Amino acid sequence: MAESSPFRYNKADDSAGFLLWKITAIWQAKLEKVLAEFGITQTQYAILASLRWFEEKEEPITQTHLVEHARIDKMTVSKAIRRLESKGLILRERSAIDSRATNVHFSKKGLKIIQKAIVAIESADEDFFSCLNEKQLATYKSLTTIVISENGL
């Protein structure tokens, strides 16, 4: 590497951040294709899948909990929820317990769509990571979990 070069690495793929960028771009392109058939974006999917998870696990279904769970900023969640509501996929209502909180629930249409979308995304997930064997996939998940927990907001 030349002394005047700002780069730390001789090869771009030696940068963990650049590898993350590349895998994210590939993954997002794959998800975009899968979700197009359901008429929802990746952010909307993350919100709907989180809502479905909360229902199943009996966790609080509030916008604040969505922000924390999906790690999507508050304003983006708020805009996406309004868009999902306008599409008739969810319903919003003020919490009876906390007047500052807004609870979010599925419409029948929204529940039907997310059930199918989850199956499609999980199939895409399995296909995407099928190049890794079981041990490699476990290692990938473990390392990714560490990076997220150490760098999370």
Side-chain angles (χ1 to χ4, degrees), residues 56-115:
E56 190 169 306
K57 304 299 178 186
E58 298 181 2
E59 294 183 26
I61 304 176
T62 64
Q63 286 186 219
T64 301
H65 192 43
L66 278 169
V67 167
E68 294 164 358
H69 179 79
R71 300 213 178 195
I72 302 170
D73 72 82
K74 188 176 180 177
M75 183 59 71
T76 302
V77 167
S78 182
K79 287 179 181 179
I81 284 177
R82 282 195 300 275
R83 182 73 178 126
L84 289 166
E85 187 177 34
S86 73
K87 289 181 172 190
L89 302 179
I90 61 167
L91 308 165
R92 289 186 302 162
E93 62 184 35
R94 283 274 181 225
S95 170
I97 300 168
D98 182 353
S99 62
R100 297 167 295 165
T102 301
N103 293 328
V104 184
H105 303 281
F106 283 104
S107 66
K108 286 181 183 180
K109 176 183 174 184
L111 187 57
K112 186 176 179 180
I113 285 175
I114 196 56
Q115 295 285 106

Side-chain angles (χ1 to χ4, degrees), residues 35 40-51 66 69-70 72 114:
L35 293 173
I40 57 176
T41 66
Q42 292 173 43
T43 299
Q44 291 168 348
Y45 171 80
I47 290 167
L48 293 172
S50 294
L51 288 175
L66 278 169
H69 179 79
I72 302 170
I114 196 56

Side-chain angles (χ1 to χ4, degrees), residues 22-45:
K22 288 168 72 172
I23 197 171
T24 300
I26 295 165
W27 174 241
Q28 287 182 332
K30 185 172 190 88
L31 288 188
E32 190 175 324
K33 287 179 186 174
V34 171
L35 293 173
E37 76 176 84
F38 302 103
I40 57 176
T41 66
Q42 292 173 43
T43 299
Q44 291 168 348
Y45 171 80

